[in-house]
C-alpha cells in the first residue's frame, strides 16, 4: 500500500486537520470528528446533519455550508460514525426548528443514527430521518438490508439544503427528502478496487480484462464480474437497470455521472457523453447535469450513474445558491 | 471447578476477547474484504482496545463494582468507538449482558445463560437478523442454545461454556455456504456464498474467550 | 489498460461530447477541439486563451467561464494542441482589446503557441503570451528547455482572468500574469504512473516501496526515485525545494495542494494538513488555500504543492467572482 | 542509377516514412515512455497518416505539382495534426524542404542536399537545439553532413542518401549516453542518460526511408 498518509489508523483524524486548515468557512470539532459551518444558520430554520464512513470525499464534509448541510460526522474509513458524533452534531446545529438526519442505507449507518436519534429525543431536539436507498444493483426486499444509498445522497443534500435554507419546516423538509429519494436511482461499476488504509491491501482483485458491475461505494465487491467493454457498452450496463426500475420519460431529470475517485475526469466526461446519447435515444430529457468526483470510494477507478426525476420545484431548489467546498454556485 | 463466574472472570473474558481480536485483526479484515468492506478487523481491534483501556482504569476489586456497571460501560465504549454495524451490535450485546447481570458481582450457570440470552436478544432487536441470514447471530444463537442445553443436562459451568464455544465455532463454519440477507454482504447476493461471515467469526472468538476465561478461573 | 473509453485514439474527441452535454454554459467547437464560453465576454475586454495536452482536467477546459478563460484548446492526451486551434480560438475570442496566450513551458506547447501567434499577427489581433515555469524540480538554465509550467498555471488563470474581467488592458494583464508566474513555485510527486490511452500501458513502473519526487504532469518520470515515506516526510520533500528557491516569509501566500488525479481527496487534505504545519513552523502566512484535483495527470496517484506570493491586489483578484466548471465562487 | 530524385521518388519517400512510422509506433512510444510522455509514436503515426491521406488525394502526375507545393502542404499537415514538439519540428522540416525545392519537380544531389540542409535549419531555428542536446537534431545533422561529404567525394546520389541514412542511425545511437538539454527528456537531468532519444529514432527512420525510396527508384 502506498498512500499519502502517516499512521493508517489515524487517517481520518489527520485529514480533518487539513480540512480545517483549508477551509476557514468550516469549523472542525476534532474530538467528535464533526465538520460544521463556521457561521451557523439563522434561528428557526431546520438543520441538516449527515455523516458516514470516511473515504467518500467530498461527501459529506465537503457539502457542509450555506445551502446544504449544517454538520457532517466523519466515521473511520468506510465505517459509519458513532452515535456520540451524531448527538453532538444534532445538539449543536439545532436552531429550534428540528434536525433532519440524512442517512445512507447501510446497516451500520442506520443503526448508529437510530441510536443517536433515540438518545437525542431525550434532549428535546426534534429529529427526523431520511434514509437514501437508490442503488438498483441491490435487489430490494423486506427480508434483506435493502438497497444501498449512493449517488442520490449528493443530490438530496443539495436540494433539501436549499429547502431548509428557504425556511421550510421539518415535516416539509423531510417530505422533500423522501420525494427526492423516491425519484432517484443509481448504478455503479468499478475497474479497480480501493485500498482501505487500515487493511493495507486491495479489498478485491480484478483481472486486467474484467470489471465489477453494481459495485457500491465501500469497495465491497459488486453484483457481477464482467469482461471489460468499451465506454459505450458500459454506459448501457449502467443505464439499463435504472430504466428497468423507474420510468424517467414523463418529466425532466437531473443526470449525475459520478467518479469513484480513481478515474480521470476526462474519462468521466467521456462516459457522460455516452450516457447522454443513450438518454436522448430513450426520450429522457436532462434538465441539469453533474459530472465529477462527488461520492467516491477512495482511489477506486470507475463511476456511477444517478438519475433523478425532478419537477419545477425541485429544479428551483437545485439551482438555489450553495456554497460548500464540494458544490458551489450562485453564491 | 467453580459453579459461578465472578467479576474477575468476566473481566478476564473481555481481556481474552481483546487479545484474540488483536491477534485475528488481519484475518477478520480479510474475511470482510471478501464479502464486505475490509474494516471488521480494524473496527473490533479499535473497540476492544478501548475496552481494555477502560478495564485498565476500572477498579473491579471494590465492593461497588457490579456486572451491570462494568458491562454497561464496556458496551457504551464499543458503541462510542466502533461505529459500523459491529459497534452497535457488540455494544448492545454487552449493554444487555450488563442489564441482565445488574447489581450482581457474580453469575451462576443460569444467570450467565440468562445474561447471554439477553445479549443475544439485544443483537436481534437491533439488527433484525434471523438465523440463516449469515451474520453474527448465526454464531451467537447456537452458542446460547448449546449452553442452555448443557445446563439443562446438569453439566458443570465450564462444560457449558465450552459447549457454547464449540457451538459458536460450528455456527461460524455454517455461515460459509449461506447467502447473506443482512448487512453489507447481502449486496453480493449469491456471490456471498462460500465465505465465512466476519461477524460470526469474531463472535466465535467471543465465546472461545469466555470458555477459556472460565477454564482458567477454574 | 482498463479505462472508461472507446477507441484510445478518439478519447479527446469523445470526452468533448460529454463536456458539451454537461455544460450548457460552455460551447464546444468539436472540429477545432476548442472550448468557449457560451456567452462571450463584453467588447473591449482582453480575452484569455490557454490550452495544452489533454489529461490534465479540469485544466484548461474546466477553467473556461466568467472570471477566468475565454477559450481553451484541447490537444491530444499529453500532446500540445496545434496552431490551427489557437488561431481559431484567438480570432474567435478577441473583443478588440487583444488576447493573452497562457502557455505552460513545454517545448511543444511553446512552439505551437509561437506558430499560432506568428500567424495571428497577420490577422490584426494583438497577441501577448505568458509562459508559466514554476516547477522547481527542474533546474532552470539558459541552455535547457527550462522549468515546466505546472500548478501556478491554475492560480494564474484565475487571477489574470479577474484582471481581464475588470477591464485591465493587455499590457496590464500581461504584467500581472508575469508577476504571478514570478511569485509561484511548485513541486510534485507521484506514487504511481498514469496510463496514456494511446500507449496502453503505464509510462513508468514504480516499486511498491518507492515514489517519484519531482514528477511532472505528463507522467514523465521525475528527478529522483525515493523510498516511500509517511505523509509528514513527503510534505517536507515537497516544501523544502520550494523554500530553497523563493522566499515566502515576507508576505501572504496562496497555498495550493493539487491532486495528480488518482489520490483520494482524503489523502490530499491530509497532505495539506502536513504542509500547513510546516508552513507555520517556517513563519509563512497562508492567506488562501486550494486543495483538490485541478491540474492532473490522468489517473496518476500523487500530489503537487504550489506556493504563490500575493499582495492585496492579487488577493482581491483571487477573491473576485469566478464561474467555471472547475472553480466557482462569488457568482 | 538516376542522379536525380523526381517528385514520384519524393512521394515514395514520404510513403515509406509513413509505413516505417506506423510499424514502429509502439517502439517510438516505448522510447518516449522512458524519458518523455509516451506519445511520440501516436504523434508521428497520426501525423503521417494524415500526410498519407494528403498524398492519396494529391495528383502528382500533372505538370502543376511541384516539390514546393507538395512539401509545404505535407508540412502544414504535420503542423495541423501532430502538436507536441514533433509537430512543429517535423512540420517545419517539410515546409523548409518545400521552400528550398520551390517550383522544381526534381532535385539533383546538390539540390537534395540543399533542401535537407534547409530543413535541418528550420528544425534548429524552431527548436534551438544543438548537437549533443539529445534530440532529433543529433540524427538529422550528421545525416545531412554525411550526404554533403559523399557528394563532395563525387559519390552517386544513391550512395549519398545511403550514407545519410547510416549517419542518421549512428546519430540516433549516439543519443543513448547523452544527457538531454532540450525537450521533455531534459526534465530528467542525468536520468535521461542511457536511453535512445525518440525523436532521433524517428528521424533515423526518415533518412532510412529516403535511402530506400531512392534505391527503389534507381
Ligand atoms: N443486521 C445485522 N444483524 C446482525 N449482525 C449483523 C447485521 N449486519 C451486519 N452484521 C454483522 O456485522 C458484521 C460486519 O461488521 P463490520 O464489518 O464491523 O461493519 P460494517 O458492515 O458496517 O462494515 C457482519 O459480518 C455481520 O456478522
Ligand atoms: N527543442 C528541440 N529541438 C529539436 N528536437 C526536439 C526539441 N524538443 C524535443 N525535440 C524532439 O522531440 C521528441 C519528442 O517528440 P514528442 O514526444 O512527439 O513530443 P512531446 O515531447 O511534446 O511529447 C524528442 O525525442 C526530441 O527528439
Ligand atoms: Mg464498514
Ligand atoms: Mg465491514
Ligand atoms: Mg507530449
Ligand atoms: Mg512525447
Amino acid at each position: 500500500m502506498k498512500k499519502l498518509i502517516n499512521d493508517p489508523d489515524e487517517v481520518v483524524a489527520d485529514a480533518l486537520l487539513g480540512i480545517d486548515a483549508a477551509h476557514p468557512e468550516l469549523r472542525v470539532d476534532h474530538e467528535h470528528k464533526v465538520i460544521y459551518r463556521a457561521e451557523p444558520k439563522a434561528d428557526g430554520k431546520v438543520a441538516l446533519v449527515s455523516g458516514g464512513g470516511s473515504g467518500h470525499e467530498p461527501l459529506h464534509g465537503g457539502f457542509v455550508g450555506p445551502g446544504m448541510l449544517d454538520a457532517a460526522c466523519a466515521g473511520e474509513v468506510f465505517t459509519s460514525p458513532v452515535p456520540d458524533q451524531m448527538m453532538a452534531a444534532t445538539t449543536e446545529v439545532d436552531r429550534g426548528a428540528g434536525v433532519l438526519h440524512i442517512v445512507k442505507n447501510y446497516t451500520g449507518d442506520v443503526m448508529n443514527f437510530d441510536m443517536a436519534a433515540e438518545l437525542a429525543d431525550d434532549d428535546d431536539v426534534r429529529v427526523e430521518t431520511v434514509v437514501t436507498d437508490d442503488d438498483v444493483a441491490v435487489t430490494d426486499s423486506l427480508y434483506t438490508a435493502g438497497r444501498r444509498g449512493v449517488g442520490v445522497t449528493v443530490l438530496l443534500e443539495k436540494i433539501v439544503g436549499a429547502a431548509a435554507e428557504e425556511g421550510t419546516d421539518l415535516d416539509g423538509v423531510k417530505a422533500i427528502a423522501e420525494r427526492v429519494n423516491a425519484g432517484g436511482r443509481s448504478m455503479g461499476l468499478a475497474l479497480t478496487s480501493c485500498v482501505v488504509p487500515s487493511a493495507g491491501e486491495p479489498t478485491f482483485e480484478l483481472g486486467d480484462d474484467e470489471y465489477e458491475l453494481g459495485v457500491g461505494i465501500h469497495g465491497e465487491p459488486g453484483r457481477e464480474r464482467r469482461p471489460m467493454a468499451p465506454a459505450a457498452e458500459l454506459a448501457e450496463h449502467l443505464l439499463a437497470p435504472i430504466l428497468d426500475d423507474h420510468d424517467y420519460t414523463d418529466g425532466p431529470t437531473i443526470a449525475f455521472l459520478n467518479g469513484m475517485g480513481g478515474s480521470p475526469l476526462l474519462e468521466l466526461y467521456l462516459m457522460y457523453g455516452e450516457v447522454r446519447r443513450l438518454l436522448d435515444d430513450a426520450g429522457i430529457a436532462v434538465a441539469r447535469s453533474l459530472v465529477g468526483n462527488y461520492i467516491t470510494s477512495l482511489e477506486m477507478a470507475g463511476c456511477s450513474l444517478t438519475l433523478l426525476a425532478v419537477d419545477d420545484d425541485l429544479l428551483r431548489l437545485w439551482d438555489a445558491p450553495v456554497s460548500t467546498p464540494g458544490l458551489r454556485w450562485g453564491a | 471447578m467453580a459453579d459461578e463466574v465472578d467479576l474477575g472472570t468476566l473481566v478476564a473474558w473481555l481481556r481474552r476477547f481483546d487479545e484474540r481480536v488483536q491477534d485475528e485483526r488481519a484475518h477478520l479484515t480479510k474475511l470482510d474484504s471478501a464479502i464486505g468492506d475490509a474494516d471488521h478487523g480494524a473496527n473490533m481491534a479499535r473497540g476492544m482496545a478501548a475496552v481494555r483501556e477502560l478495564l485498565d482504569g476500572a477498579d473491579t476489586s471494590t465492593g461497588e463494582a457490579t456486572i451491570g456497571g462494568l458491562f454497561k460501560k464496556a458496551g457504551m465504549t464499543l458503541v462510542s468507538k466502533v461505529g459500523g454495524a459491529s459497534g452497535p451490535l457488540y455494544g448492545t450485546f454487552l449493554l444487555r449482558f450488563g442489564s441482565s447481570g445488574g447489581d450482581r458481582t457474580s453469575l451462576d450457570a443460569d444467570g450467565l445463560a440468562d445474561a447471554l440470552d439477553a445479549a443475544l436478544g439485544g443483537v436481534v432487536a437491533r439488527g433484525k437478523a434471523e438465523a440463516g441470514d449469515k451474520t453474527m447471530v448465526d454464531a451467537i444463537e447456537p452458542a446460547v442454545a448449546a449452553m442452555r442445553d448443557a445446563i439443562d443436562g446438569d453439566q458443570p459451568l465450564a462444560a457449558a461454556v465450552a459447549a457454547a464455544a464449540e457451538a459458536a465455532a460450528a455456527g461460524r463454519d455454517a455461515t460459509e455456504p449461506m447467502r447473506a440477507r443482512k448487512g453489507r454482504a447481502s449486496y453480493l447476493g449469491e456471490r456471498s456464498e462460500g465465505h465465512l461471515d466476519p461477524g460470526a467469526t469474531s463472535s466465535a472468538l467471543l465465546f472461545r474467550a469466555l470458555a477459556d476465561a472460565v477454564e482458567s478461573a477454574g
Side-chain angles (χ1 to χ4, degrees), chain A, chain B:
Chain A
M1 171 180 61
K2 278 194 295 186
K3 283 178 171 283
L4 303 170
I5 62 171
N6 298 304
D7 179 348
D9 288 334
E10 294 297 326
V11 166
V12 176
D14 288 354
L16 285 172
L17 294 173
I19 291 173
D20 205 358
H23 297 294
E25 73 274 25
L26 300 177
R27 180 170 65 81
V28 179
D29 171 351
H30 293 281
E31 192 201 324
H32 284 104
K33 297 188 177 144
V34 180
I35 297 172
Y36 295 103
R37 304 183 188 184
E39 290 279 335
K41 68 167 34 140
D43 274 351
K45 289 186 178 179
V46 170
L48 307 185
V49 171
S50 191
S54 294
H56 308 304
E57 291 66 29
L59 183 98
H60 297 273
F63 299 139
V64 173
M68 229 163 151
L69 300 179
D70 293 271
C73 308
E76 292 302 314
V77 173
F78 293 170
T79 301
S80 140
V82 300
D84 308 46
Q85 295 175 270
M86 289 80 139
M87 280 161 56
T90 304
T91 312
E92 181 75 18
V93 300
D94 180 47
R95 290 286 160 279
V99 177
L100 182 72
H101 284 181
I102 301 174
V103 184
K104 303 189 297 304
N105 188 36
Y106 298 93
T107 305
D109 294 66
V110 170
M111 288 193 305
N112 283 282
F113 268 97
D114 272 357
M115 291 185 98
E118 287 162 17
L119 292 156
D121 259 359
D122 305 344
D123 284 335
D124 284 329
V125 178
R126 229 194 111 197
V127 174
E128 290 288 348
T129 300
V130 62
V131 178
T132 60
D133 61 346
D134 53 313
D135 190 350
V136 298
V138 176
T139 321
D140 205 9
S141 150
L142 272 180
Y143 307 103
T144 65
R147 287 177 164 167
R148 295 176 287 219
V150 284
V152 87
T153 317
V154 176
L155 309 181
L156 186 149
E157 291 180 356
K158 166 65 189 85
I159 289 171
V160 170
E165 221 71 53
E166 283 187 351
T168 311
D169 70 11
L170 185 56
D171 291 332
V173 164
K174 184 181 175 179
I176 293 171
E178 283 176 344
R179 198 143 61 88
V180 170
N181 183 55
R185 296 290 185 280
S186 299
M187 184 73 182
L189 64 84
L191 305 187
T192 64
S193 174
C194 51
V195 179
V196 178
S198 67
E201 41 190 58
T203 304
F204 57 90
E205 296 290 348
L206 258 179
D208 272 354
D209 48 359
E210 33 182 37
Y211 76 99
E212 287 273 345
L213 183 63
V215 83
I217 53 168
H218 292 79
E220 63 266 47
R223 194 69 191 239
E224 206 184 336
R225 194 157 288 193
R226 281 175 177 257
M228 189 56 195
E233 212 174 295
L234 297 179
E236 284 173 25
H237 292 313
L238 289 182
L239 186 59
I242 290 175
L243 298 187
D244 279 351
D245 203 79
H246 197 92
D247 182 9
Y248 286 97
T249 53
D250 59 329
T253 62
I254 296 178
F256 170 28
L257 197 291
N258 173 62
M260 291 293 188
S263 282
L265 190 51
L266 192 71
E267 296 179 24
L268 301 182
Y269 275 119
L270 192 151
M271 279 296 293
Y272 187 67
E274 297 297 338
V275 165
R276 276 300 284 273
R277 198 175 37 74
L278 297 173
L279 290 174
D280 285 352
D281 291 352
I284 293 166
V286 177
R288 299 291 183 276
S289 308
L290 186 67
V291 178
N293 292 304
Y294 292 100
I295 171 169
T296 61
S297 189
L298 293 171
E299 65 274 85
M300 186 187 275
C303 65
S304 64
L305 172 65
T306 301
L307 289 189
L308 175 63
V310 288
D311 54 20
D312 286 349
D313 206 39
L314 294 183
L315 272 184
R316 186 180 52 76
L317 293 170
W318 175 256
D319 290 341
V322 59
S323 181
T324 72
L327 274 188
R328 182 156 26 205
W329 57 69
Chain B
M1 279 278 169
D3 55 356
E4 281 201 344
V5 286
D6 62 12
L7 206 48
T9 306
L10 292 173
V11 166
W13 171 30
L14 294 179
R15 288 192 182 278
R16 277 174 187 269
F17 183 45
D18 169 43
E19 282 162 25
R20 299 307 310 268
V21 158
Q22 306 301 340
D23 288 351
E24 298 293 316
R25 174 183 167 150
H27 180 231
L28 294 174
T29 289
K30 196 151 201 88
L31 294 176
D32 200 30
S33 297
I35 56 171
D37 58 353
D39 63 353
H40 189 57
N43 288 346
M44 296 305 297
R46 183 172 63 252
M48 288 311 297
V51 168
R52 185 202 321 139
E53 270 180 46
L54 172 83
L55 297 176
D56 287 347
D59 188 350
T60 49
S61 59
T62 73
E64 276 148 56
T66 63
I67 294 172
L70 192 76
F71 275 76
K72 279 187 202 163
K73 269 192 214 143
M76 277 317 292
T77 299
L78 288 186
V79 169
S80 300
K81 291 289 173 187
V82 177
S86 45
L89 291 168
Y90 275 105
T92 301
F93 184 98
L94 296 189
L95 284 169
R96 293 289 180 95
F97 187 96
S99 301
S100 177
D103 288 343
R104 283 174 284 176
T105 56
S106 69
L107 298 171
D108 61 13
D110 265 325
L112 181 59
D114 286 347
L116 289 170
D117 219 357
L120 166 64
V123 169
V124 170
R126 182 59 64 204
K128 311 214 169 43
E130 295 171 14
D133 282 354
K134 197 180 184 107
T135 70
M136 58 177 70
V137 170
D138 291 308
I140 303 173
E141 197 175 87
V144 176
M147 170 140 189
R148 195 68 85 184
D149 282 351
I151 296 170
D152 290 350
D154 284 330
Q155 296 195 38
L157 180 60
V161 291
E166 269 156 50
R172 170 201 66 204
D173 294 343
T175 62
E176 185 165 329
M178 292 178 185
R179 182 180 307 189
R181 276 192 301 260
K182 285 276 153 42
R184 199 173 295 281
S186 67
Y187 306 139
L188 291 184
E190 62 185 28
R191 285 178 77 194
S192 65
E193 296 170 17
H195 300 275
L196 287 180
D197 178 62
T201 305
S202 56
S203 288
L205 297 179
L206 180 71
F207 281 92
R208 170 50 50 205
L210 177 61
D212 290 350
V214 170
E215 189 182 279
S216 290

